[in-house]
Amino acid sequence: MISNQYIVTGETTTDGINVLADAVTTADAMDISADGLTTGSALRVVSGSTSTDTRDMVYLHNDSTASTGTTVLHVQNDSTGACIHVVTGGIEDAVVIESGDAGAQGAPDVVLYRNSASPEANDILGNIYFKGEDAAGNADVYAYMEGKILDKTAGGEDGEVSLWAMSAGTVGKRLSANSA
């Protein structure tokens, strides 16, 4: 056990820490518990490198095409805070989703899935918000896209997608497409 110590390596081309758990089948290869955490981080990865070379701060790779049931990154938050918060310092892409598939199928896909045990007509399935600050520095929703259930009947499902936009300080539905 290492407690309140650093692991220091003078190597420049080898890994600082390797965790080999090739025999683990149903347990976790690495488990971090931080139940007493208040304002810190359970895991913090920082690089002060000034290199302009392309590199990954965190790299996750499922190296087996046969393991089709694998979710490479699963994020769950049982609280009301944001699950993922991406902050960028410039105008570069904040999120890039890329598929290398050469087939005719649509990919990559972004799925907003509302997994409700009791879906009802007029349930909002998800929204994509476009926010920005006003002249007073308040964060405002200037526009958003909304998906909604119109009819939940199996075999007769109907849905709607709507575009909402701000006009004179009020957000209202400006465009709607549905099957009804």
Short mmCIF file of all heavy atoms in Angstrom, two decimals, residues 93-136:
data_model
loop_
_atom_site.label_atom_id
_atom_site.label_comp_id
_atom_site.label_asym_id
_atom_site.label_seq_id
_atom_site.Cartn_x
_atom_site.Cartn_y
_atom_site.Cartn_z
N ASP A 93 -13.56 22.46 -31.51
CA ASP A 93 -14.64 21.52 -31.24
C ASP A 93 -14.57 21.06 -29.79
O ASP A 93 -13.53 20.63 -29.32
CB ASP A 93 -14.53 20.30 -32.17
CG ASP A 93 -14.63 20.68 -33.64
OD1 ASP A 93 -15.24 21.72 -33.94
OD2 ASP A 93 -14.09 19.93 -34.47
N ALA A 94 -15.69 21.12 -29.08
CA ALA A 94 -15.73 20.66 -27.69
C ALA A 94 -15.97 19.15 -27.64
O ALA A 94 -15.46 18.48 -26.76
CB ALA A 94 -16.81 21.39 -26.91
N VAL A 95 -16.74 18.63 -28.57
CA VAL A 95 -17.03 17.20 -28.62
C VAL A 95 -16.98 16.77 -30.08
O VAL A 95 -17.60 17.40 -30.93
CB VAL A 95 -18.43 16.87 -28.03
CG1 VAL A 95 -18.74 15.39 -28.17
CG2 VAL A 95 -18.52 17.30 -26.59
N VAL A 96 -16.27 15.70 -30.35
CA VAL A 96 -16.22 15.12 -31.69
C VAL A 96 -16.63 13.66 -31.58
O VAL A 96 -16.06 12.91 -30.78
CB VAL A 96 -14.80 15.22 -32.30
CG1 VAL A 96 -14.75 14.51 -33.65
CG2 VAL A 96 -14.38 16.67 -32.44
N ILE A 97 -17.61 13.26 -32.34
CA ILE A 97 -18.06 11.87 -32.37
C ILE A 97 -17.79 11.39 -33.78
O ILE A 97 -18.33 11.93 -34.75
CB ILE A 97 -19.54 11.76 -32.01
CG1 ILE A 97 -19.78 12.33 -30.61
CG2 ILE A 97 -20.01 10.32 -32.10
CD1 ILE A 97 -21.24 12.47 -30.23
N GLU A 98 -16.95 10.37 -33.91
CA GLU A 98 -16.47 9.94 -35.22
C GLU A 98 -16.70 8.45 -35.41
O GLU A 98 -16.52 7.66 -34.49
CB GLU A 98 -14.97 10.24 -35.30
CG GLU A 98 -14.32 9.82 -36.58
CD GLU A 98 -12.84 10.17 -36.60
OE1 GLU A 98 -12.41 11.10 -35.91
OE2 GLU A 98 -12.09 9.49 -37.33
N SER A 99 -17.10 8.07 -36.59
CA SER A 99 -17.24 6.66 -36.94
C SER A 99 -16.35 6.37 -38.14
O SER A 99 -16.34 7.12 -39.11
CB SER A 99 -18.69 6.32 -37.30
OG SER A 99 -18.78 5.01 -37.82
N GLY A 100 -15.63 5.28 -38.08
CA GLY A 100 -14.78 4.87 -39.19
C GLY A 100 -15.46 3.84 -40.08
O GLY A 100 -14.82 3.26 -40.96
N ASP A 101 -16.74 3.59 -39.87
CA ASP A 101 -17.47 2.58 -40.64
C ASP A 101 -17.59 3.01 -42.09
O ASP A 101 -18.00 4.13 -42.39
CB ASP A 101 -18.86 2.36 -40.03
CG ASP A 101 -19.64 1.29 -40.75
OD1 ASP A 101 -19.06 0.23 -41.05
OD2 ASP A 101 -20.82 1.52 -41.05
N ALA A 102 -17.26 2.11 -43.02
CA ALA A 102 -17.31 2.43 -44.45
C ALA A 102 -18.63 1.98 -45.08
O ALA A 102 -18.83 2.17 -46.27
CB ALA A 102 -16.14 1.76 -45.17
N GLY A 103 -19.53 1.39 -44.28
CA GLY A 103 -20.79 0.88 -44.82
C GLY A 103 -21.79 1.98 -45.10
O GLY A 103 -21.56 3.17 -44.85
N ALA A 104 -22.96 1.59 -45.58
CA ALA A 104 -24.01 2.53 -45.96
C ALA A 104 -24.91 2.91 -44.78
O ALA A 104 -25.76 3.77 -44.91
CB ALA A 104 -24.85 1.94 -47.08
N GLN A 105 -24.75 2.23 -43.64
CA GLN A 105 -25.58 2.52 -42.47
C GLN A 105 -25.24 3.89 -41.90
O GLN A 105 -24.13 4.38 -42.05
CB GLN A 105 -25.35 1.46 -41.39
CG GLN A 105 -25.67 0.06 -41.82
CD GLN A 105 -27.13 -0.13 -42.18
OE1 GLN A 105 -28.01 0.47 -41.59
NE2 GLN A 105 -27.39 -0.95 -43.19
N GLY A 106 -26.20 4.52 -41.25
CA GLY A 106 -25.96 5.81 -40.63
C GLY A 106 -25.10 5.67 -39.38
O GLY A 106 -25.43 4.91 -38.48
N ALA A 107 -24.01 6.37 -39.35
CA ALA A 107 -23.13 6.34 -38.17
C ALA A 107 -22.19 7.52 -38.28
O ALA A 107 -21.78 7.88 -39.39
CB ALA A 107 -22.34 5.04 -38.12
N PRO A 108 -21.84 8.17 -37.22
CA PRO A 108 -22.16 7.81 -35.84
C PRO A 108 -23.56 8.30 -35.46
O PRO A 108 -24.15 9.15 -36.13
CB PRO A 108 -21.11 8.56 -35.03
CG PRO A 108 -20.77 9.75 -35.85
CD PRO A 108 -20.91 9.31 -37.29
N ASP A 109 -24.09 7.74 -34.41
CA ASP A 109 -25.42 8.09 -33.93
C ASP A 109 -25.31 8.73 -32.56
O ASP A 109 -24.46 8.37 -31.75
CB ASP A 109 -26.30 6.84 -33.80
CG ASP A 109 -26.49 6.14 -35.12
OD1 ASP A 109 -26.57 6.83 -36.16
OD2 ASP A 109 -26.57 4.90 -35.13
N VAL A 110 -26.18 9.67 -32.28
CA VAL A 110 -26.33 10.23 -30.95
C VAL A 110 -27.74 9.87 -30.51
O VAL A 110 -28.72 10.17 -31.22
CB VAL A 110 -26.16 11.78 -30.95
CG1 VAL A 110 -26.43 12.35 -29.57
CG2 VAL A 110 -24.76 12.14 -31.41
N VAL A 111 -27.88 9.21 -29.38
CA VAL A 111 -29.17 8.73 -28.91
C VAL A 111 -29.52 9.41 -27.59
O VAL A 111 -28.74 9.37 -26.65
CB VAL A 111 -29.16 7.19 -28.71
CG1 VAL A 111 -30.49 6.71 -28.15
CG2 VAL A 111 -28.82 6.49 -30.01
N LEU A 112 -30.67 10.07 -27.56
CA LEU A 112 -31.23 10.57 -26.31
C LEU A 112 -32.36 9.60 -25.96
O LEU A 112 -33.39 9.58 -26.63
CB LEU A 112 -31.78 11.99 -26.48
CG LEU A 112 -30.81 13.04 -26.99
CD1 LEU A 112 -31.51 14.40 -27.10
CD2 LEU A 112 -29.60 13.15 -26.08
N TYR A 113 -32.16 8.76 -24.95
CA TYR A 113 -33.10 7.68 -24.63
C TYR A 113 -33.72 7.92 -23.26
O TYR A 113 -33.03 7.89 -22.25
CB TYR A 113 -32.37 6.35 -24.66
CG TYR A 113 -33.21 5.15 -24.27
CD1 TYR A 113 -34.42 4.90 -24.90
CD2 TYR A 113 -32.78 4.28 -23.29
CE1 TYR A 113 -35.18 3.81 -24.56
CE2 TYR A 113 -33.55 3.17 -22.94
CZ TYR A 113 -34.75 2.94 -23.58
OH TYR A 113 -35.51 1.86 -23.22
N ARG A 114 -35.00 8.18 -23.23
CA ARG A 114 -35.71 8.33 -21.97
C ARG A 114 -36.28 6.97 -21.61
O ARG A 114 -37.23 6.50 -22.22
CB ARG A 114 -36.81 9.37 -22.08
CG ARG A 114 -37.53 9.53 -20.76
CD ARG A 114 -38.32 10.79 -20.69
NE ARG A 114 -38.98 10.89 -19.41
CZ ARG A 114 -39.86 11.81 -19.13
NH1 ARG A 114 -40.17 12.72 -20.04
NH2 ARG A 114 -40.43 11.85 -17.96
N ASN A 115 -35.71 6.34 -20.62
CA ASN A 115 -36.07 4.99 -20.21
C ASN A 115 -37.10 5.07 -19.08
O ASN A 115 -36.79 4.87 -17.92
CB ASN A 115 -34.81 4.24 -19.76
CG ASN A 115 -35.07 2.78 -19.51
OD1 ASN A 115 -36.16 2.30 -19.72
ND2 ASN A 115 -34.04 2.08 -19.06
N SER A 116 -38.33 5.37 -19.44
CA SER A 116 -39.41 5.55 -18.47
C SER A 116 -40.21 4.27 -18.30
O SER A 116 -40.57 3.62 -19.28
CB SER A 116 -40.33 6.68 -18.93
OG SER A 116 -41.48 6.76 -18.11
N ALA A 117 -40.53 3.93 -17.06
CA ALA A 117 -41.37 2.76 -16.79
C ALA A 117 -42.84 3.06 -17.09
O ALA A 117 -43.65 2.14 -17.21
CB ALA A 117 -41.20 2.34 -15.33
N SER A 118 -43.20 4.33 -17.20
CA SER A 118 -44.60 4.70 -17.44
C SER A 118 -44.69 5.85 -18.44
O SER A 118 -45.08 6.96 -18.09
CB SER A 118 -45.27 5.08 -16.12
OG SER A 118 -44.55 6.13 -15.49
N PRO A 119 -44.34 5.59 -19.71
CA PRO A 119 -44.41 6.66 -20.70
C PRO A 119 -45.86 7.09 -20.94
O PRO A 119 -46.77 6.27 -20.89
CB PRO A 119 -43.81 6.02 -21.96
CG PRO A 119 -44.02 4.56 -21.77
CD PRO A 119 -43.95 4.31 -20.29
N GLU A 120 -46.04 8.37 -21.18
CA GLU A 120 -47.38 8.93 -21.43
C GLU A 120 -47.31 9.87 -22.62
O GLU A 120 -46.25 10.38 -22.97
CB GLU A 120 -47.87 9.69 -20.20
CG GLU A 120 -48.13 8.83 -18.97
CD GLU A 120 -49.26 7.83 -19.15
OE1 GLU A 120 -50.17 8.09 -19.97
OE2 GLU A 120 -49.23 6.77 -18.49
N ALA A 121 -48.45 10.11 -23.21
CA ALA A 121 -48.55 11.11 -24.28
C ALA A 121 -48.11 12.46 -23.71
O ALA A 121 -48.38 12.77 -22.55
CB ALA A 121 -49.97 11.18 -24.80
N ASN A 122 -47.42 13.22 -24.52
CA ASN A 122 -46.89 14.55 -24.18
C ASN A 122 -45.67 14.50 -23.27
O ASN A 122 -45.21 15.55 -22.82
CB ASN A 122 -47.96 15.47 -23.60
CG ASN A 122 -49.04 15.77 -24.63
OD1 ASN A 122 -48.72 16.06 -25.77
ND2 ASN A 122 -50.29 15.65 -24.23
N ASP A 123 -45.13 13.31 -22.99
CA ASP A 123 -43.85 13.23 -22.27
C ASP A 123 -42.76 13.82 -23.15
O ASP A 123 -42.68 13.50 -24.34
CB ASP A 123 -43.47 11.79 -21.93
CG ASP A 123 -44.16 11.25 -20.69
OD1 ASP A 123 -44.93 12.01 -20.06
OD2 ASP A 123 -43.92 10.08 -20.35
N ILE A 124 -41.95 14.69 -22.59
CA ILE A 124 -40.79 15.22 -23.30
C ILE A 124 -39.68 14.17 -23.22
O ILE A 124 -39.30 13.74 -22.13
CB ILE A 124 -40.31 16.55 -22.67
CG1 ILE A 124 -41.45 17.56 -22.56
CG2 ILE A 124 -39.12 17.11 -23.44
CD1 ILE A 124 -42.08 17.95 -23.85
N LEU A 125 -39.17 13.74 -24.37
CA LEU A 125 -38.14 12.69 -24.41
C LEU A 125 -36.74 13.24 -24.19
O LEU A 125 -35.86 12.53 -23.71
CB LEU A 125 -38.19 11.97 -25.75
CG LEU A 125 -39.50 11.23 -26.00
CD1 LEU A 125 -39.55 10.71 -27.43
CD2 LEU A 125 -39.66 10.10 -25.00
N GLY A 126 -36.52 14.48 -24.55
CA GLY A 126 -35.22 15.08 -24.37
C GLY A 126 -35.16 16.42 -25.07
O GLY A 126 -35.99 16.73 -25.92
N ASN A 127 -34.18 17.22 -24.68
CA ASN A 127 -33.99 18.54 -25.26
C ASN A 127 -32.51 18.76 -25.56
O ASN A 127 -31.65 18.21 -24.88
CB ASN A 127 -34.43 19.63 -24.27
CG ASN A 127 -35.89 19.54 -23.93
OD1 ASN A 127 -36.74 19.57 -24.79
ND2 ASN A 127 -36.20 19.42 -22.64
N ILE A 128 -32.25 19.57 -26.54
CA ILE A 128 -30.91 20.06 -26.80
C ILE A 128 -31.01 21.58 -26.69
O ILE A 128 -31.75 22.22 -27.45
CB ILE A 128 -30.40 19.65 -28.19
CG1 ILE A 128 -30.33 18.13 -28.29
CG2 ILE A 128 -29.04 20.29 -28.48
CD1 ILE A 128 -29.98 17.61 -29.67
N TYR A 129 -30.31 22.14 -25.70
CA TYR A 129 -30.41 23.58 -25.41
C TYR A 129 -29.23 24.34 -25.99
O TYR A 129 -28.10 23.88 -25.95
CB TYR A 129 -30.44 23.81 -23.89
CG TYR A 129 -31.70 23.34 -23.23
CD1 TYR A 129 -31.74 22.12 -22.57
CD2 TYR A 129 -32.86 24.11 -23.27
CE1 TYR A 129 -32.90 21.67 -21.96
CE2 TYR A 129 -34.01 23.68 -22.65
CZ TYR A 129 -34.04 22.46 -22.01
OH TYR A 129 -35.18 22.02 -21.41
N PHE A 130 -29.50 25.55 -26.47
CA PHE A 130 -28.49 26.48 -26.94
C PHE A 130 -28.54 27.68 -26.01
O PHE A 130 -29.48 28.47 -26.07
CB PHE A 130 -28.75 26.88 -28.39
CG PHE A 130 -28.73 25.70 -29.33
CD1 PHE A 130 -29.89 24.99 -29.60
CD2 PHE A 130 -27.55 25.30 -29.92
CE1 PHE A 130 -29.88 23.90 -30.45
CE2 PHE A 130 -27.52 24.21 -30.78
CZ PHE A 130 -28.68 23.51 -31.04
N LYS A 131 -27.55 27.77 -25.11
CA LYS A 131 -27.53 28.81 -24.10
C LYS A 131 -26.42 29.81 -24.37
O LYS A 131 -25.39 29.46 -24.94
CB LYS A 131 -27.31 28.21 -22.70
CG LYS A 131 -28.45 27.40 -22.18
CD LYS A 131 -28.14 26.93 -20.75
CE LYS A 131 -29.31 26.20 -20.15
NZ LYS A 131 -29.02 25.82 -18.75
N GLY A 132 -26.61 31.01 -23.89
CA GLY A 132 -25.59 32.04 -23.96
C GLY A 132 -25.93 33.13 -22.97
O GLY A 132 -27.02 33.15 -22.40
N GLU A 133 -25.00 34.05 -22.78
CA GLU A 133 -25.23 35.14 -21.83
C GLU A 133 -25.88 36.33 -22.53
O GLU A 133 -25.61 36.60 -23.69
CB GLU A 133 -23.92 35.56 -21.19
CG GLU A 133 -23.37 34.50 -20.27
CD GLU A 133 -22.15 34.97 -19.49
OE1 GLU A 133 -21.72 36.13 -19.68
OE2 GLU A 133 -21.65 34.18 -18.68
N ASP A 134 -26.73 37.02 -21.78
CA ASP A 134 -27.30 38.27 -22.29
C ASP A 134 -26.38 39.43 -21.90
O ASP A 134 -25.31 39.22 -21.33
CB ASP A 134 -28.73 38.48 -21.80
CG ASP A 134 -28.84 38.59 -20.28
OD1 ASP A 134 -27.81 38.83 -19.60
OD2 ASP A 134 -29.95 38.43 -19.75
N ALA A 135 -26.77 40.65 -22.21
CA ALA A 135 -25.93 41.82 -21.95
C ALA A 135 -25.65 42.03 -20.47
O ALA A 135 -24.65 42.63 -20.09
CB ALA A 135 -26.59 43.08 -22.53
N ALA A 136 -26.52 41.49 -19.59
CA ALA A 136 -26.32 41.63 -18.14
C ALA A 136 -25.52 40.46 -17.55
O ALA A 136 -25.31 40.40 -16.34
CB ALA A 136 -27.67 41.73 -17.44
#
